[in-house]
Amino acid sequence: TNGTTTLDRNLTATNTNINNNSTLALNNSTVNSAIKTDGTGNLSLSGINDITGDVGEISKQLNNIEALANSNTTFNNNIYANNINLNTNSILDSKGNITSNVNGAAVNTGTLNISGPNNQVITGNIGTIENLNLNSGRVVRTDGDVNATNTNINSNSTLELVSGKNIDSVINGNTGNLTLLGTSTISEDIQSLNNLRLNANTSNSLLQGIVNSTNITSTGSGSSTFEDIVTTTNLVLNNGNMTFNEDLNSINTTIGSGRLNLDKNLLGTTVNFTNTLGELNLNDGANVDVTNLGVDTTKGNLNIAGNSNISGDINLKNINITGTNQVVNLKDDVNAIRTTISNSTVNFNQD
C-alpha cells in the first residue's frame, strides 16, 4: 500500500496489477503486459521505455501517469488514466487511444506524439504541454480542449475536433488537415495547413487568429467567422455562411448556395458561383480586386451595402446596390441579368 516498485529491466506477464495507491516506476524498461489497477494505481516513467498492452481499463483507470523530465516512453496500445503529466523535455508517444487528461507538469512542458497505425481517439483535455504532434498520417479525433503551445499536424494527418471543444494553440501543418465537427473557437494563429474544413450543419465557429491554409472548405450549412487575415489558394463555400472581418486573400473562390460576407477586402483571381442562390455580400468599405467576379450570368448574387470599389469583370445573375448616399466604383466590364441601384451613386468603368 502506497509503495513504489522500481523496474529497470524488461517485464513480460499477462497482467501487471497496480493497486492500493501503489506506484510502478519504469526506468529504461520494455514491458509486454496489460497494466491493470483498482483505480488507485500510478505509473512513473524515467529513461526510455516501451509498453505493449493496454494501460488501465475504461472502468478502472490508473490514477496518474507521470512522465519525468527527459523521459521518452512509447505506449503501443490504449491508455486509460485520470491524468497524464508531462515534465520538462519528456516525450510520450501514443499508438493507441488515450482516455485521460494530458497536462504539462508546468506550463509549456512535455511533448505528446500521436503516431499509431490506425485512426486514434483522445478523450480528455490536452493542457499546457509544449507540443502536440500528429505524425500518423491517420485521423485523430479529440473530444477535449487543446491548449498545447504548439499543435503540429504532420504527414497528411487529420485532427478532428468534436463540437463544443476549442483549440488555444498555434497550429502548423503544411501537409496536415483540421476538421471542425461542430461549433468551436480557434484562439491562436493557423500558420499553415493543407485543408481546413468547417461549417458542419448547425455549427457556429470562431477563428480569432491569422489563418493560412491551402484549402478552406465549408462542409455543411453552419456558420464561421474569421476575425483576422485569411490567406488561401482555394476557398469553397458550398453552403452556410462565412464572414471575414479582415482581408481575405483567396486565389480561387467558389460559392455554391452559401453566403460569403466581407467587412474588408477580397484579393484574388476568380470568384465562381455554382448556384443561383450564392451570395457575395459587401459591407461598407469592403472592396474586391479579382480578375473575374462570376463567370455565368445565370448564377450568383452580389449585394453591396456601402461604399465599395470593385476591380474585375463581373458576370452574375443579380447585382443589388443598397444604402444611402454611398459611392460604388465598378472598374471593369459588367454583365448581369438584373442590376438594382437604390439611393446610391454608381460609377461604371471608373478607375
Side-chain angles (χ1 to χ4, degrees):
T1 301
N2 296 316
T4 298
T5 300
T6 300
L7 179 69
D8 56 7
R9 60 193 64 190
N10 298 337
L11 169 66
T12 299
T14 302
N15 298 304
T16 300
N17 299 302
I18 311 173
N19 301 320
N20 299 320
N21 296 304
S22 299
T23 297
L24 175 63
L26 301 181
N27 179 33
N28 295 312
S29 298
T30 297
V31 175
N32 289 282
S33 174
I35 297 178
K36 298 188 176 184
T37 181
D38 58 1
T40 67
N42 305 289
L43 186 62
S44 176
L45 308 168
S46 60
I48 299 174
N49 304 286
D50 188 278
I51 302 173
T52 298
D54 283 355
V55 175
E57 301 172 278
I58 190 63
S59 60
K60 293 181 180 180
Q61 302 181 3
L62 263 69
N63 180 41
N64 190 66
I65 298 175
E66 193 80 19
L68 299 178
N70 303 308
S71 64
N72 188 335
T73 301
T74 299
F75 289 82
N76 292 295
N77 297 95
N78 301 321
I79 303 172
Y80 302 94
N82 294 327
N83 293 289
I84 299 172
N85 293 317
L86 304 181
N87 286 262
T88 303
N89 295 323
S90 64
I91 298 173
L92 191 154
D93 187 1
S94 170
K95 299 184 183 301
N97 298 328
I98 297 175
T99 301
S100 178
N101 294 318
V102 182
N103 298 296
V107 175
N108 196 32
T109 61
T111 294
L112 174 61
N113 292 329
I114 306 297
S115 60
N118 302 306
N119 295 343
Q120 291 171 259
V121 177
I122 302 172
T123 303
N125 296 321
I126 298 175
T128 55
I129 65 173
E130 183 175 7
N131 298 300
L132 169 63
N133 298 324
L134 275 61
N135 301 321
S136 64
R138 302 289 184 174
V139 175
V140 178
R141 178 173 294 190
T142 178
D143 187 358
D145 296 329
V146 177
N147 295 294
T149 302
N150 303 293
T151 296
N152 301 303
I153 309 174
N154 306 313
S155 306
N156 296 308
S157 300
T158 297
L159 176 60
E160 289 185 345
L161 187 65
V162 170
S163 184
K165 307 304 179 181
N166 306 308
I167 298 178
D168 186 6
S169 176
V170 175
I171 299 172
N172 274 288
N174 285 318
T175 63
N177 312 295
L178 173 62
T179 301
L180 306 184
L181 298 175
T183 297
S184 295
T185 296
I186 311 299
S187 302
E188 297 290 341
D189 291 347
I190 297 177
Q191 294 183 343
S192 63
L193 270 180
N194 185 28
N195 288 289
L196 171 61
R197 306 181 184 101
L198 69 173
N199 278 21
N201 292 342
T202 73
S203 68
N204 188 3
S205 291
L206 178 64
L207 295 95
Q208 296 180 309
I210 292 170
V211 174
N212 290 284
S213 181
T214 303
N215 304 291
I216 300 175
T217 304
S218 173
T219 62
S221 60
S223 298
S224 53
T225 299
F226 296 78
E227 292 189 339
D228 213 326
I229 296 170
V230 175
T231 301
T232 183
T233 301
N234 301 298
L235 173 65
V236 180
L237 178 55
N238 296 309
N239 200 353
N241 293 275
M242 286 186 179
T243 300
F244 297 86
N245 296 153
E246 296 293 338
D247 288 352
L248 168 60
N249 303 292
S250 175
I251 295 176
N252 302 302
T253 301
T254 301
I255 302 175
S257 59
R259 291 165 295 280
L260 195 157
N261 309 306
L262 292 178
D263 292 335
K264 291 292 179 66
N265 304 308
L266 168 59
L267 305 174
T269 301
T270 300
V271 179
N272 182 32
F273 290 86
T274 61
N275 191 291
T276 59
L277 299 177
E279 297 179 12
L280 175 59
N281 301 313
L282 308 184
N283 290 323
D284 187 30
N287 306 299
V288 176
D289 188 350
V290 296
T291 303
N292 295 291
L293 178 50
V295 295
D296 184 346
T297 56
T298 67
K299 298 172 183 176
N301 304 277
L302 174 62
N303 301 312
I304 305 173
N307 298 295
S308 292
N309 297 308
I310 299 178
S311 297
D313 292 339
I314 299 175
N315 291 277
L316 294 170
K317 182 180 179 181
N318 294 306
I319 301 173
N320 301 302
I321 302 173
T322 60
T324 302
N325 299 322
Q326 68 189 49
V327 177
V328 176
N329 296 314
L330 305 178
K331 298 185 177 184
D332 294 288
D333 293 343
V334 177
N335 294 285
I337 300 297
R338 175 176 294 177
T339 299
T340 303
I341 302 172
S342 175
N343 299 318
S344 304
T345 299
V346 180
N347 299 309
F348 291 89
N349 299 113
Q350 181 69 46
D351 293 327

